[in-house]
Amino acid sequence: MGAASGVKRTRVGYCGGTKPYPTYRKVCSDKEWSDWAEAVQVDYDASEISYSDLVALFFKSHEPGMCGGKRQYMSAIFTHTPEQMAVAGEVFAVEKEKRKGRLGTAVETATDFYSAELYHQKWLLQRKSDWFKACGLTDGDQLLDSQAACKVNAFAAGHLSARALVDELDRLCQSGQMESDVWSSLRTKLRFEGCEGDD
């Protein structure tokens, strides 16, 4: 999701359950937290990407026909407003018809969202410590709010081309949402000095 234009931040965590303060260990092994699902929370700019487009992207980004097993790993869309519920239902109906009824996704009203432990956040970016540092991040908590980290993680996962990443980071720098020295450091670490032919 972080690769999509208009998506500002993503964070992984838990949604859909009732007992407060789920953790990975609790959700995996304790019946009291078995109603929580692993989820991705997406902050986006509705003037750049619509909720309908986000829901369509959700269906393209995983195999929603796979269901069963633990609720923890369910395919689900958690909505926050009646309007989101209606839009998700419309996109769901189109997807269900395309897949001849084989769709295991649930559309539910969101409960509180709890961010997952930091070692789950931007997992690929955290494995590239020089990129992490080049993003101007000094600790894991900043992974949750950094737009640059969102885009660099999408690049690390292979979901964003070098040209698209450069464009996104240029935009952040020009709008004052990222310091120019951070962008300079990222360009060097990612070897984007010229950026010709790197799509």
Side-chain angles (χ1 to χ4, degrees), residues 21-70:
Y21 309 111
T23 64
Y24 182 73
R25 187 175 302 273
K26 290 174 184 175
V27 171
C28 283
S29 59
D30 191 322
K31 280 187 157 187
E32 290 187 66
W33 280 274
S34 64
D35 57 347
W36 289 97
E38 292 183 9
V40 178
Q41 186 179 59
V42 179
D43 294 345
Y44 68 101
D45 184 337
S47 70
E48 295 180 42
I49 187 169
S50 69
Y51 185 73
S52 178
D53 288 341
L54 278 178
V55 174
L57 180 59
F58 164 81
F59 283 110
K60 289 179 191 168
S61 299
H62 77 296
E63 179 45 60
M66 295 177 65
C67 60
K70 293 174 72 172

Side-chain angles (χ1 to χ4, degrees), residues 30-187:
D30 191 322
K31 280 187 157 187
E32 290 187 66
W33 280 274
S34 64
D35 57 347
W36 289 97
E38 292 183 9
V40 178
Q41 186 179 59
V42 179
D43 294 345
Y44 68 101
D45 184 337
S47 70
E48 295 180 42
I49 187 169
S50 69
Y51 185 73
S52 178
D53 288 341
L54 278 178
V55 174
L57 180 59
F58 164 81
F59 283 110
K60 289 179 191 168
S61 299
H62 77 296
E63 179 45 60
M66 295 177 65
C67 60
K70 293 174 72 172
R71 179 172 166 87
Q72 174 184 0
Y73 302 116
M74 71 188 293
S75 172
I77 299 167
F78 294 104
T79 64
H80 297 272
T81 66
E83 293 79 15
Q84 285 185 350
M85 180 67 81
V87 169
E90 291 166 11
V91 177
F92 177 90
V94 169
E95 288 294 326
K96 189 170 184 177
E97 187 170 319
K98 276 199 271 186
R99 298 164 192 271
K100 298 181 176 29
R102 295 185 304 271
L103 193 59
T105 301
V107 179
E108 300 181 4
T109 300
T111 62
D112 288 338
F113 178 88
Y114 292 88
S115 292
E117 298 79 359
L118 289 175
Y119 65 90
H120 291 294
Q121 306 295 337
K122 310 292 182 290
W123 192 86
L124 290 170
L125 178 56
Q126 288 196 64
R127 294 317 134 304
K128 298 183 178 291
S129 63
D130 55 337
W131 293 12
F132 181 89
K133 291 173 188 165
C135 283
L137 304 173
T138 55
D139 64 58
D141 288 322
Q142 293 172 325
L143 286 171
L144 301 176
D145 294 317
S146 170
Q147 290 185 48
C150 178
K151 299 304 179 182
V152 175
N153 193 65
F155 174 74
H159 300 301
L160 196 62
S161 71
R163 176 77 260 162
L165 178 61
V166 166
D167 290 346
E168 288 282 349
L169 297 179
D170 272 342
R171 182 187 55 74
L172 289 175
C173 191
Q174 290 169 6
S175 67
Q177 297 175 61
M178 182 171 64
E179 299 294 325
S180 59
D181 59 331
V182 170
W183 185 200
S184 178
S185 178
L186 274 168
R187 275 176 114 46

